[in-house]
Amino acid sequence: MRRGRPGLVGVAARTAVVAGTATAASGRVARRQQNKYAAEQAAAAAPAPAAAAEPEYMAELEQLAQLRDQGIVSPEEFEAKKKQILGL
């Protein structure tokens, strides 16, 4: 048996180990990037509920305007409530 240089089997085994390690590392990097991308997408989608709240106050303002137009609420009361709804 020779001890100086590894034989063909030793080189093949070492190559397989290096290739397997590289594959595992690249898979880990890919998963990490996918998780980061998914988190960014979730964060980008988060403001959508805030947009859904917009029609609620618009509907409330429309109802208030109808009450003003019907004479149930005075123009002063309408303006005061409108400022309260809009947070002014």
Side-chain angles (χ1 to χ4, degrees), residues 21-37:
T21 303
T23 302
S26 69
R28 215 174 305 128
V29 169
R31 277 191 304 277
R32 215 177 291 145
Q33 288 175 339
Q34 287 174 346
N35 291 340
K36 181 180 177 185
Y37 180 72

Side-chain angles (χ1 to χ4, degrees), residues 2 7-8 11 15 18 23 39-40 43 49 52 54-56 59 63 65 72-73 75 77 81:
R2 295 188 322 193
L8 184 59
V11 171
T15 302
V18 169
T23 302
E40 289 173 357
E54 183 175 317
E56 291 178 21
Q63 287 177 334
I72 298 172
V73 174
E77 291 171 326
K81 186 66 175 174

